[in-house]
Amino acid sequence: MKKSLYLTLLLIVFFIQPMVAESMQQRKSKTIRSGELWPDDKGEHINAHGGGILKYNDTYYWFGEHKDDRTSDAMVGVMCYASKDLVNWRNCGVALSVTEPAPGQAGQRMRRGATTGSDIERGCILERPKVIYNPVTKKFCMWFHLELKGQGYNAARYGVAVADRPEGPYKFLYSSRANAGTWPVEGSPMNFDEYLKRDYGTGQMARDMTLYVDDDGKAYHIFSSEENFTLHIAELTGDYLHHNGRYTRVAPGGQNEAPAIFKHDGTYWMITSGCTGWAPNEARMFSAPSIWGPWTQHPNPCRGPLAEKTFNGQSTFILPVDGRYIFMADIWRPHHPRDARYIWLPIDFEDGKPVIRWRDEWSF
């Protein structure tokens, strides 16, 4: 009798244990846990930092910086991941590859100010890639912050690439400074800061950035400029591949970077960070009735543990999903860049203003 009972229990454990494990896996695959390792379909931590998301048809595509174990320089390029539910992600591989060093430069350490081959040569700094789809040209357009190899953060350029499919491969087109020979819409140059005047002829600096497509189909490039003292919002041409020369300045002298923007009930909202390098700081929030302003600053929207440091993260993108919004941020780990983690949190509204509350775990 005891032997029979023992065998019965063994059979129950044999059949039930896999079901329990599968149930736990299903539960995990339906929830988001900010700050934890986030495995892709191959079981590897998703390597798409400073990223953004494009929804095309019924699939979400996550683009971000591929980080190495020891350096934040671009050694691979921009990665792409695909998902139907925003939780389980398939690794689509490298969407935009950096190029190999020019002949004779392989293995050499570039001196400061040295010239390179391609603008996106391996070892350059390629940050915050964002992709938007142009329904007229049927092209997927990628923009990113680019610093030329061996020049630190002196170049302050943006780069543009294009593809026929969302996952790529993307073809690099060019890099440039912004809006050379053009003043912003605000008025007389006599009132502008020294950096804006300094860079008028060569083009304005373009660092931390995002892209935004408005309801009317017009697209905008939002980026830190003027030595990171001032944000610029620049309208793009109809093909989404160039600036059209019309731009405005936001929070002059405020030292903002890492912009993330969305629109809710006709109001534009933008969340940024201060300029403290890799170290986290308190999030800033702005609103405007028009993309052209005027922009008004509001208190930090974060609530919960470490809210004063944006939960130890830095904003990168805000994703609209079925009338709601997801705040995306990065927890940087400069000593082990590949291990940088992600913060994804839903945005609530209180008294008409966005609020981001920390949640250890949440689901759609």
Side-chain angles (χ1 to χ4, degrees), residues 8-23:
T8 301
L9 290 173
L10 279 178
L11 287 172
I12 291 174
V13 170
F14 179 79
F15 285 106
I16 293 296
Q17 188 173 7
M19 295 172 62
V20 172
E22 182 180 358
S23 176

Side-chain angles (χ1 to χ4, degrees), residues 140-216:
F140 297 88
C141 307
M142 177 187 292
W143 287 58
F144 48 88
H145 166 214
L146 177 67
E147 300 290 347
L148 302 179
K149 181 178 179 179
Q151 297 188 24
Y153 277 84
N154 286 342
R157 302 166 77 96
Y158 65 87
V160 181
V162 69
D164 295 321
R165 302 185 305 161
E167 65 271 29
Y170 283 77
K171 178 184 178 182
F172 175 67
L173 298 181
Y174 72 99
S175 77
S176 177
R177 284 277 187 105
N179 293 302
T182 306
W183 295 115
V185 300
E186 277 73 28
S188 170
M190 296 298 293
N191 301 322
F192 296 148
D193 295 342
E194 59 176 306
Y195 300 117
L196 190 81
K197 296 177 184 178
R198 179 197 68 185
D199 296 332
Y200 174 80
T202 57
Q204 301 300 324
M205 306 176 85
R207 288 180 176 151
D208 276 14
M209 58 141 287
T210 192
L211 296 177
Y212 176 72
V213 180
D214 213 338
D215 301 333
D216 59 3

Side-chain angles (χ1 to χ4, degrees), residues 108-160:
Q108 296 181 8
R109 179 172 181 153
M110 296 297 295
R111 68 184 185 277
R112 188 175 184 83
T115 58
T116 65
S118 166
D119 287 356
I120 59 167
E121 183 177 308
R122 180 160 50 87
C124 68
I125 296 173
L126 195 164
E127 298 177 334
R128 298 182 179 271
K130 305 293 186 290
V131 174
I132 52 179
Y133 175 67
N134 190 306
V136 177
T137 64
K138 311 286 187 201
K139 298 291 186 180
F140 297 88
C141 307
M142 177 187 292
W143 287 58
F144 48 88
H145 166 214
L146 177 67
E147 300 290 347
L148 302 179
K149 181 178 179 179
Q151 297 188 24
Y153 277 84
N154 286 342
R157 302 166 77 96
Y158 65 87
V160 181

Side-chain angles (χ1 to χ4, degrees), residues 205-248:
M205 306 176 85
R207 288 180 176 151
D208 276 14
M209 58 141 287
T210 192
L211 296 177
Y212 176 72
V213 180
D214 213 338
D215 301 333
D216 59 3
K218 291 183 178 179
Y220 301 88
H221 178 209
I222 300 99
F223 54 95
S224 296
S225 191
E226 303 175 38
E227 299 288 358
N228 284 19
F229 278 99
T230 302
L231 291 166
H232 287 194
I233 299 179
E235 187 174 334
L236 303 187
T237 53
D239 58 8
Y240 298 172
L241 298 178
H242 302 271
H243 294 137
N244 70 5
R246 190 165 186 243
Y247 70 101
T248 188

Side-chain angles (χ1 to χ4, degrees), residues 303-318:
R303 304 286 186 272
L306 296 174
E308 73 283 0
K309 291 188 176 181
T310 318
F311 317 117
N312 273 341
Q314 185 184 39
S315 51
T316 184
F317 194 71
I318 294 173

Side-chain angles (χ1 to χ4, degrees), residues 71-137:
T71 178
S72 286
D73 292 349
M75 308 306 289
V76 173
V78 177
M79 294 294 294
C80 177
Y81 295 81
S83 174
K84 301 286 189 181
D85 61 7
L86 290 170
V87 180
N88 302 284
W89 292 91
R90 172 174 55 87
N91 187 337
C92 298
V94 182
L96 174 67
S97 297
V98 295
T99 63
E100 291 301 310
Q105 292 181 348
Q108 296 181 8
R109 179 172 181 153
M110 296 297 295
R111 68 184 185 277
R112 188 175 184 83
T115 58
T116 65
S118 166
D119 287 356
I120 59 167
E121 183 177 308
R122 180 160 50 87
C124 68
I125 296 173
L126 195 164
E127 298 177 334
R128 298 182 179 271
K130 305 293 186 290
V131 174
I132 52 179
Y133 175 67
N134 190 306
V136 177
T137 64

Side-chain angles (χ1 to χ4, degrees), residues 47 66-73 75 333-339:
N47 200 338
H66 179 283
K67 293 291 191 186
D68 195 73
D69 283 324
R70 297 180 180 84
T71 178
S72 286
D73 292 349
M75 308 306 289
R333 299 200 169 173
H335 299 296
H336 188 188
R338 189 194 299 265
D339 191 46

